[in-house]
Amino acid sequence: MNRIILGLMILFTYLALSTNISLYNVLSGAVITAAILWLMPFRRRPVQVRDIPGGAWALVVYLLLVAKNVLMGGIQVARLVLTPKMPLKSGVIAIKPECDHELGRALIVHAISLSPGELLIETGEDGTMYIHSLDVYQTEQVTTKQQVHWHYLLNLIFGNAPGE
């Protein structure tokens, strides 16, 4: 039942954004919605209503953290580029993500790749992320420090109790 409601929400959002209610567009939206639902993994436990406010708040905090990282990374890259000596300490580092949820790991990778001066090169089979950075020491320090915070926020977003 939850997937039907989710499917209807996706379809109505698609129709609202496309502003076209022709039969062809509704059928196209239904096919797109079915494909999205088919690609989405099933949740092992249903969403509890009491988890929604905490998850929404965690999502807002997560997005603010990502925005802060992008802004600070942009300032640091600009400082590196504008410095005549260009004190680059570039290289590749390996970081093991703390999040067990596949979508959570994808969001962590997304947050890292959005930061200027950092780019995910590859993800190993065990989930280890290989990140190229203009300043290896700072990336390693900031990313490992934020891993615990990201893990906590992503557990709240996905409806898991903190520490699960």
Side-chain angles (χ1 to χ4, degrees):
M1 185 65 169
N2 285 341
R3 291 186 73 80
I4 293 171
I5 293 171
L6 178 63
L8 289 174
M9 289 171 53
I10 293 171
L11 178 61
F12 289 141
T13 302
Y14 169 79
L15 293 174
L17 291 173
S18 68
T19 65
N20 182 1
I21 313 255
S22 69
L23 179 62
Y24 175 74
N25 197 40
V26 171
L27 291 176
S28 298
V31 169
I32 291 170
T33 300
I36 290 171
L37 290 176
W38 181 71
L39 290 172
M40 287 179 62
F42 287 101
R43 284 186 66 96
R44 288 188 181 88
R45 72 180 192 128
V47 175
Q48 302 294 324
V49 175
R50 70 179 191 279
D51 292 340
I52 293 174
W57 177 251
L59 181 62
V60 168
V61 171
Y62 176 80
L63 292 174
L64 289 173
L65 181 63
V66 169
K68 177 190 155 224
N69 287 347
V70 169
L71 181 66
M72 296 304 290
I75 291 170
Q76 290 164 355
V77 169
R79 187 179 303 143
L80 279 173
V81 170
L82 294 175
T83 303
K85 294 190 309 186
M86 280 187 127
L88 297 177
K89 297 174 226 125
S90 63
V92 177
I93 58 173
I95 295 177
K96 180 82 171 142
E98 297 290 326
C99 188
D100 298 330
H101 196 280
E102 186 176 329
L103 185 56
R105 282 193 305 261
L107 287 174
I108 290 173
V109 166
H110 180 257
I112 290 171
S113 293
L114 274 178
S115 299
E118 299 172 357
L119 180 66
L120 178 80
I121 298 173
E122 184 177 350
T123 303
E125 290 181 19
D126 62 344
T128 302
M129 301 178 294
Y130 297 95
I131 302 167
H132 181 274
S133 175
L134 292 178
D135 190 347
V136 175
Y137 304 111
Q138 183 174 1
T139 298
E140 187 172 26
Q141 180 184 13
V142 169
T143 304
T144 51
K145 195 185 317 180
Q146 288 180 346
Q147 284 277 348
V148 175
H149 193 62
W150 281 339
H151 181 57
Y152 176 77
L153 290 173
L154 291 171
N155 275 337
L156 287 175
I157 292 169
F158 294 119
N160 300 331
E164 275 186 10

